[in-house]
Amino acid sequence: MSELWARTALQTYRWLGAALYPLMGTYVAVRITRGKEERGRRRERYGRSTIDRPDGPLIWIHAASVGETGAVSALIQRIRDLDIRVILTTGTVTSANFARERLGEDLLHQYVPLDIKPAVSRFLNHWKPDLAIFAESEIWPMTILELGARRIPQILINGRMSDRSFKRWSHRLALAESLFENLSHVAAQSEVDGERFRALGARPVTVTGNLKADVAIPPVDQAELRRLSAAIGERSRWAAISTHDGEELVAARVHKALKKYRPGLLTIVVPRHPDRAGALRKMFEERGLSVASRSNGEAPTPQTDIFLGDTIGEMGLYLRLTDIAFVGKSLVGHGGQNPLEPAMLGTAILSGPNVSAFVEAYDRLTEARAARMVEDEATLAKTVHHLMSQPKVCDAMARAGMRVVTDMGGALERTWSALDPYIHPLRVQAALHGNGPEAHPASGGRGAGHAGRRALGWK
């Protein structure tokens, strides 16, 4: 692909976006009916905001979903501790709720604008960020070009490039180079990711490690943990977490197969998207399985087959209730999900073979014998049964996983060092400007009261 072809392709993308902009209302409306958008905040997807931009320097941080939001939470708090404002954008309702719970209702939050010029321009005209930071694999052409045109530094942190994405970009090398040359810095998760970003034209690229290995151990309500642990008692149990459509059915069939050998078996299912809980409960019950839903406050009874973890921000609870965790989007779907949270909480980890988004983490875990890969439903059932029958093996896997997470630490400090040349001038500017959490309570300072919180867009 020639450079001229790449410029033509990007210009076509710009024009196509402008042409489709009037039709985006239908797209957003459909997402609202599916629970993927908040009706009262849909205008944010067009770049509109009801929140005033606070005075002083401002950093825009974008994290697409819950995993990315958790990964950048410590970084956001460190920036806020310097009295530099942060506007966080996310792309899902669950990640917005998670951000509120993890970072507080005084955090400035918006839904990310559609990658169409009118929406992106309106967002940038309002917020006027001094620096833009994107997490993991968020490559939006129009957003990158608009930031580049305004000479706003943009940095990709915790950057990863899956096999499929790298292959796709490699076939469009000139297009990739015309986009990635706008990035001021890429902080990649691994050497493989770093080499791929360099091959696609990004400069400079440093390898900082995976921020997800540096997140705090997922919290838990100790009273609820005691209540549910007492309800479950000594029953055999395993969990299928971060599951995607089709994997819950696999979990149901595995449960029925194993229950023949373990009559008191409890299976904990934590879907990646809790909004599917109603349909999942119906599916389980149609197969003769008794279900208790966490969102309804139901605790498992001795007759319960499936404990449905359909809440946000409680992974720490679900993982503390089990010694064995299958991590989803790996048997059905591609890319896998983050295995580091179950590792740090001491569970034996199982996964399907499709983990291209977390290759380094799984390589380390399998090498340390902390994780096992299963090819299909039958292998999953056999492996769960084996680990239940061999508690010493299960315990050894759990301890190995915790060691792997410890060894992978340090990504936050390395990422902070990569960001320092861009953040330090803003720190000086904030000090000169007199920013402080008490200075602008209605604009998102950490001292914001109830009225200020309502102004921030949270419900």
Side-chain angles (χ1 to χ4, degrees):
M1 180 186 293
S2 68
E3 184 177 346
L4 176 61
W5 202 99
R7 289 200 301 269
T8 302
L10 289 173
Q11 191 63 35
T12 301
Y13 182 90
R14 183 191 298 266
W15 289 339
L16 182 62
L20 292 176
Y21 183 71
L23 305 178
M24 286 296 102
T26 302
Y27 165 75
V28 174
V30 170
R31 285 177 57 85
I32 289 173
T33 62
R34 295 177 178 175
K36 296 182 181 297
E37 302 279 353
E38 289 189 56
R39 183 179 301 275
R41 299 180 63 184
R42 64 186 183 277
R43 289 166 59 87
E44 294 174 19
R45 300 288 270 150
Y46 303 101
R48 296 185 170 92
S49 177
T50 59
I51 311 169
D52 292 335
R53 185 203 189 278
D55 295 333
L58 179 79
I59 296 177
W60 173 22
I61 297 181
H62 174 63
S65 58
V66 170
E68 291 84 355
T69 304
V72 301
S73 294
L75 181 68
I76 290 174
Q77 192 55 56
R78 186 174 288 197
I79 293 171
R80 296 169 80 195
D81 287 342
L82 298 176
D83 292 330
I84 298 173
R85 310 293 186 194
V86 172
I87 170 66
L88 172 68
T89 59
T90 60
T92 66
V93 174
T94 52
S95 57
N97 293 334
F98 178 83
R100 175 178 55 194
E101 293 170 3
R102 180 65 63 91
L103 293 163
E105 295 192 12
D106 56 348
L107 175 74
L108 290 170
H109 174 271
Q110 296 272 255
Y111 284 107
V112 67
L114 298 166
D115 194 49
I116 296 175
K117 189 178 188 309
V120 175
S121 294
R122 189 177 292 115
F123 178 89
L124 294 177
N125 288 341
H126 177 79
W127 289 108
K128 298 180 177 64
D130 298 281
L131 173 65
I133 300 174
F134 303 104
E136 297 210 7
S137 57
E138 290 297 286
I139 307 297
W140 295 104
M142 190 52 54
T143 300
I144 289 175
L145 294 177
E146 285 299 299
L147 286 166
R150 296 166 189 243
R151 300 189 180 279
I152 298 171
Q154 45 190 315
I155 301 171
L156 183 67
I157 63 170
N158 218 38
R160 61 180 174 88
M161 178 71 64
S162 68
D163 295 343
R164 185 161 54 176
S165 293
F166 181 62
K167 183 178 181 179
R168 186 166 59 244
W169 282 115
S170 295
H171 289 314
R172 302 166 179 83
L173 189 56
L175 180 61
E177 290 175 342
S178 64
L179 287 174
F180 292 137
E181 68 180 6
N182 287 280
L183 299 177
S184 301
H185 198 117
V186 173
Q189 288 189 20
S190 69
E191 292 291 349
V192 171
D193 293 311
E195 286 303 317
R196 288 176 173 178
F197 279 110
R198 291 187 191 100
L200 296 175
R203 297 289 190 280
V205 177
T206 56
V207 177
T208 53
N210 192 337
L211 283 171
K212 290 178 179 176
D214 272 0
V215 300
I217 294 177
V220 66
D221 183 324
Q222 291 293 339
E224 282 299 285
L225 178 60
R226 288 192 295 270
R227 183 177 77 89
L228 292 173
S229 295
I232 295 171
E234 298 300 318
R235 297 174 63 183
S236 298
R237 81 290 298 268
W238 70 291
I241 68 168
S242 300
T243 53
H244 283 241
D245 190 18
E247 290 175 327
E248 296 88 4
L249 179 57
V250 169
R253 292 198 289 241
V254 168
H255 176 90
K256 297 189 80 168
L258 294 182
K259 194 175 179 181
K260 299 174 185 177
Y261 308 97
R262 297 184 175 274
L265 178 68
L266 177 70
T267 296
I268 302 168
V269 177
V270 187
R272 174 68 171 170
H273 302 291
D275 56 290
R276 298 172 50 234
L280 292 178
R281 180 165 192 150
K282 180 180 179 182
M283 182 270 290
F284 290 134
E285 291 177 340
E286 286 176 347
R287 283 158 178 79
L289 299 174
S290 174
V291 181
S293 296
R294 171 65 177 160
S295 63
N296 293 336
E298 300 167 349
T301 69
Q303 291 73 41
T304 300
D305 294 295
I306 306 293
F307 183 40
L308 186 57
D310 54 347
T311 55
I312 298 168
E314 290 197 306
M315 189 63 78
L317 172 65
Y318 303 126
L319 288 173
R320 285 177 172 89
L321 293 173
T322 185
D323 295 322
I324 304 168
F326 164 77
V327 183
K329 202 182 178 184
S330 57
L331 276 178
V332 178
H334 295 279
Q337 291 291 339
N338 177 26
L340 297 180
E341 281 190 345
M344 65 179 64
L345 282 172
T347 67
I349 299 167
L350 306 178
S351 172
N354 305 315
V355 294
S356 60
F358 297 92
V359 171
E360 184 194 21
Y362 274 106
D363 282 348
R364 292 199 182 199
L365 289 167
T366 54
E367 183 179 358
R369 299 186 178 181
R372 295 188 181 188
M373 313 305 283
V374 298
E375 293 297 323
D376 50 31
E377 178 183 317
T379 310
L380 175 60
K382 290 177 182 178
T383 307
V384 171
H385 180 61
H386 171 72
L387 291 176
M388 287 181 175
S389 303
Q390 301 289 331
K392 289 184 178 179
V393 174
C394 188
D395 182 62
M397 290 180 68
R399 286 186 280 107
M402 289 188 283
R403 288 195 298 271
V404 168
V405 174
T406 299
D407 292 342
M408 289 178 67
L412 178 60
E413 293 303 326
R414 290 188 289 270
T415 301
W416 188 255
S417 295
L419 290 172
D420 186 65
Y422 305 94
I423 291 179
H424 183 71
L426 303 183
R427 181 179 185 179
V428 174
Q429 184 182 343
L432 293 173
H433 189 271
N435 274 11
E438 70 284 345
H440 307 280
S443 299
R446 291 187 289 281
H450 180 69
R453 291 172 184 171
R454 287 190 302 169
L456 300 179
W458 298 118
K459 304 302 177 193

